[in-house]
Amino acid sequence: MLPGLNYTKRCRKFRLLDKVFINIDDKKNRHIFSENGIKNIKMMITCIKIVFLSKFYNYPVSRVIYEINIDKKLKRFLKIENE
């Protein structure tokens, strides 16, 4: 049984991930994605964030998606809109 991903601003892991996600969501990276033929850049960045979170906490991707769907703070942290 895996514990939930409880987002808090004081957690060092989430602060580190925030710095990584800022770099992933950078305008330069968006330009690189578009140059390489990616049409839906928002979806690509969302998928990258989910995979990073999954690997960082050693959770299956399905569990991370479940946690994102039930936790509004985590969704806001990842800047994921209702799609």
Side-chain angles (χ1 to χ4, degrees):
M1 185 82 185
L2 296 170
L5 292 172
N6 297 324
Y7 170 72
T8 60
K9 290 182 180 180
R10 294 181 292 171
C11 180
R12 292 184 304 178
K13 287 185 176 183
F14 278 113
R15 286 192 308 216
L16 178 62
L17 278 173
D18 188 37
K19 291 179 182 180
V20 171
F21 292 161
I22 287 172
N23 288 329
I24 289 171
D25 206 7
D26 191 5
K27 189 175 184 177
K28 181 179 177 182
N29 287 331
R30 288 177 176 268
H31 182 68
I32 292 170
F33 290 146
S34 66
E35 281 181 346
N36 288 306
I38 296 173
K39 302 292 183 199
N40 194 346
I41 296 172
K42 270 182 151 177
M43 182 61 73
M44 179 70 174
I45 291 173
T46 301
C47 291
I48 290 172
K49 288 178 180 181
I50 290 170
V51 170
F52 262 86
L53 197 60
S54 170
K55 295 300 177 190
F56 198 74
Y57 281 97
N58 200 22
Y59 279 23
V61 174
S62 60
R63 175 65 185 210
V64 172
I65 292 171
Y66 172 76
E67 291 288 331
I68 291 169
N69 286 331
I70 63 170
D71 191 1
K72 291 179 184 178
K73 289 182 189 176
L74 190 59
K75 193 179 279 192
R76 232 178 299 131
F77 166 70
L78 294 173
K79 296 177 183 140
I80 297 175
E81 302 167 359
N82 291 334
E83 296 175 0

